[in-house]
Amino acid sequence: MTAERSVFILLTNTGTIFTRVIQSYTKAPYNHASISFDRELSELYSFGRKHPHNPLDGGFVKEDIKLGTFSKYPNTTCVLYELKVSEREIEKMKRVLQVFIRSKEKFMYNLLGVIGVALKEPVEFSNSYFCSQFVAEVLQRSGIKIWDKLPALVTPDDFRQSERMHLIYEGKLSEYQPY
């Protein structure tokens, strides 16, 4: 029997102009998705701002809930979900993630993909992702099928609506305590 493990999906809302624009369209409470292999969120990955003060320079990022972009927005709200997976699926996800880590400079933020989601038309470019597309891609490439849609159409709210996600925490990110 395979031991059960967990991966964690963090959805956030920093309240920036960009997130408010997205939220005005989606009406969803959270508009950014990240993935972590630990409940402490010490290894947290996504596609977003590479530098907190520059919203136009985006790509693959290792995020920090205490520093970086999140520290610039102390009122960031969040919801954290746990997804039960197998040890083998964790190993696959970590291998997929290593591809992103090793080649992080090659990846760009897929802004047109965000517009494609709004139009319900996937817009995909090589080495270009938006946050929820990236998380969905990592899951899909690891054999974890949650939705019947392309990763390029997955929104942060799709994670929130999935019955496979188990709520761990909801509130201010700055007040999150792992246990």
Side-chain angles (χ1 to χ4, degrees), residues 133-153:
Q133 176 186 17
F134 162 72
V135 176
E137 183 84 14
V138 170
L139 295 174
Q140 184 185 57
R141 285 192 199 178
S142 304
I144 300 168
K145 186 168 170 68
I146 297 179
W147 309 278
D148 286 326
K149 60 166 93 173
L150 295 170
L153 291 175

Side-chain angles (χ1 to χ4, degrees), residues 36-45 62-65:
S36 180
F37 296 101
D38 62 87
R39 193 177 184 130
E40 295 79 20
L41 306 176
S42 63
E43 295 281 325
L44 186 65
Y45 300 95
K62 180 178 180 191
E63 297 174 316
D64 188 317
I65 63 171

Side-chain angles (χ1 to χ4, degrees), residues 110-123 130 152-153:
N110 185 4
L111 184 57
L112 288 177
V114 174
I115 296 166
V117 170
L119 300 172
K120 295 184 177 31
E121 281 293 328
V123 178
F130 54 88
L153 291 175

Side-chain angles (χ1 to χ4, degrees), residues 9-96:
I9 308 298
L10 178 69
L11 306 180
T12 54
N13 182 347
T14 57
T16 63
I17 292 171
F18 184 64
T19 59
R20 287 195 308 264
V21 167
I22 292 172
Q23 194 172 28
S24 71
Y25 176 79
T26 65
K27 308 295 187 231
Y30 306 101
N31 41 49
H32 181 70
S34 310
I35 188 168
S36 180
F37 296 101
D38 62 87
R39 193 177 184 130
E40 295 79 20
L41 306 176
S42 63
E43 295 281 325
L44 186 65
Y45 300 95
S46 188
F47 268 69
R49 292 178 184 211
K50 289 183 179 181
H51 306 285
H53 300 289
N54 186 351
L56 301 177
D57 185 16
F60 176 73
V61 290
K62 180 178 180 191
E63 297 174 316
D64 188 317
I65 63 171
K66 304 280 188 224
L67 303 170
T69 300
F70 291 130
S71 69
K72 187 174 182 225
Y73 302 99
N75 291 321
T76 296
T77 56
C78 72
V79 62
L80 179 64
Y81 293 102
E82 179 179 31
L83 174 63
K84 297 290 186 183
V85 294
S86 71
E87 179 70 37
R88 181 150 168 66
E89 289 167 330
I90 288 280
E91 290 170 12
K92 287 179 181 179
M93 282 186 272
K94 286 184 175 182
R95 280 197 305 270
V96 170

